[in-house]
Amino acid sequence: MGSWSRFLRSPWVLYLGLCSPLLLVFIPIIQGEVEYYADPAKYLLEFFGKAAVILFILTMAVTPLRQLFPKAEFTKALAYRRRQIGVSVFVYALLHFLLYLPYVGSVSAFVEDWDKLFILSGLLALALLMVLAGTSNNRSVRRLGGKGWKRLHKLAYVILALIIYHQAAQEKTGFRETLVYFSILFVLEVIRLFRYFKRRSA
Ligand code: HEM
């Protein structure tokens, strides 16, 4: 293994990459950004929601990237660290959820919101992310068997649909922003499908 590849797979790159949202969140606070000081809970809720979505897209992009660029060191390192990146999605989504109470301001408002489809989709996505994070270890792979584990982790596609709905249901820029975020994944999946059918017809 080359030094570039060792660098990309090193725990330092992983920890720095996964903790970067926790560091970046301080920038607007230090810069005195109005949006943060107007409503810190809202700002942090949105920030960690976006961090969870970006990391989720990265996790989902691993398979198409691996098929498109099988020899690229970056792709190999991503595949090597996929489980840890997946667990970090759950951690950021949990932070996003924990900020929901200060955001709505009271427990009663918190409970009242739970029948909204937009909130339900978020809750279900978080519950499923917890299942995947809880089984992202070697012991679970052994217990479930390779095939069973892979089948369980296909739940990621259900989570994908729930998150797309959850983000797109935002009142103002939700749909446009969701389109921008997920279009990268969409393009990768379309190329992957196109190559698959081309191979089959050859
Ligand atoms: C656990 C249940 C969840 C609750 C109660 C919840 C709640 C919320 C709320 C209230 C907003 C709107 C904030 C605003 O008014 O601007 C929001 C936005 C958002 N949520 Fe969630 N959410 C949940 C789960 C998730 C999950 C699992 C993800 C992703 C993995 C996620 C990603 C997002 C994103 C990306 C936004 C849009 C942020 C923006 O661009 O403004 N949420 N969520």
Side-chain angles (χ1 to χ4, degrees):
M1 197 193 303
S3 53
W4 175 236
S5 160
R6 259 201 305 275
F7 168 75
L8 285 175
R9 289 176 185 215
S10 78
W12 289 109
V13 171
L14 175 77
Y15 296 140
L16 201 68
L18 297 186
C19 292
S20 56
L22 289 176
L23 306 172
L24 291 173
V25 79
F26 284 107
I27 296 175
I29 301 175
I30 296 165
Q31 288 178 335
E33 201 164 294
V34 182
E35 236 183 284
Y36 170 79
Y37 285 97
D39 191 346
K42 180 176 162 67
Y43 185 88
L44 295 173
L45 176 100
E46 288 175 355
F47 187 91
F48 289 126
K50 282 178 188 160
V53 163
I54 291 169
L55 288 165
F56 181 71
I57 291 169
L58 193 63
T59 323
M60 296 297 286
V62 172
T63 305
L65 281 175
R66 241 171 109 184
Q67 290 178 3
L68 286 174
F69 311 102
K71 293 206 170 94
E73 292 302 337
F74 179 69
T75 318
K76 287 184 195 165
L78 266 185
Y80 181 69
R81 292 297 188 190
R82 187 181 195 171
R83 277 196 227 165
Q84 287 102 326
I85 304 172
V87 173
S88 77
V89 177
F90 170 67
V91 174
Y92 283 110
L94 187 65
L95 275 175
H96 172 76
F97 172 64
L98 293 176
L99 282 155
Y100 183 54
L101 184 58
Y103 170 71
V104 284
S106 70
V107 177
S108 55
F110 182 63
V111 175
E112 261 171 39
D113 264 2
W114 281 24
D115 58 347
K116 287 185 189 152
L117 209 56
F118 148 70
I119 296 294
L120 275 177
S121 62
L123 278 170
L124 193 56
L126 185 70
L128 294 178
L129 279 170
M130 187 162 70
V131 173
L132 299 196
T135 53
S136 286
N137 51 67
N138 291 339
R139 214 169 43 163
S140 300
V141 179
R142 276 196 301 274
R143 219 182 38 227
L144 295 164
K147 270 191 185 161
W149 189 86
K150 273 195 172 159
R151 210 175 304 134
L152 178 71
H153 280 248
K154 290 254 184 297
L155 278 177
Y157 290 98
V158 179
I159 300 174
L160 173 69
L162 289 166
I163 294 178
I164 288 178
Y165 173 76
H166 180 76
Q167 192 180 8
Q170 302 300 302
E171 274 163 23
K172 279 173 270 161
T173 54
F175 183 73
R176 203 166 357 112
E177 230 177 51
T178 310
L179 204 66
V180 172
Y181 277 55
F182 285 91
S183 57
I184 303 151
L185 195 58
F186 181 73
V187 169
L188 284 173
E189 288 292 353
V190 168
I191 297 173
R192 184 181 165 201
L193 274 176
F194 183 72
R195 283 165 55 108
Y196 171 77
F197 285 117
K198 207 172 148 197
R199 253 200 328 271
R200 274 190 58 170
S201 63

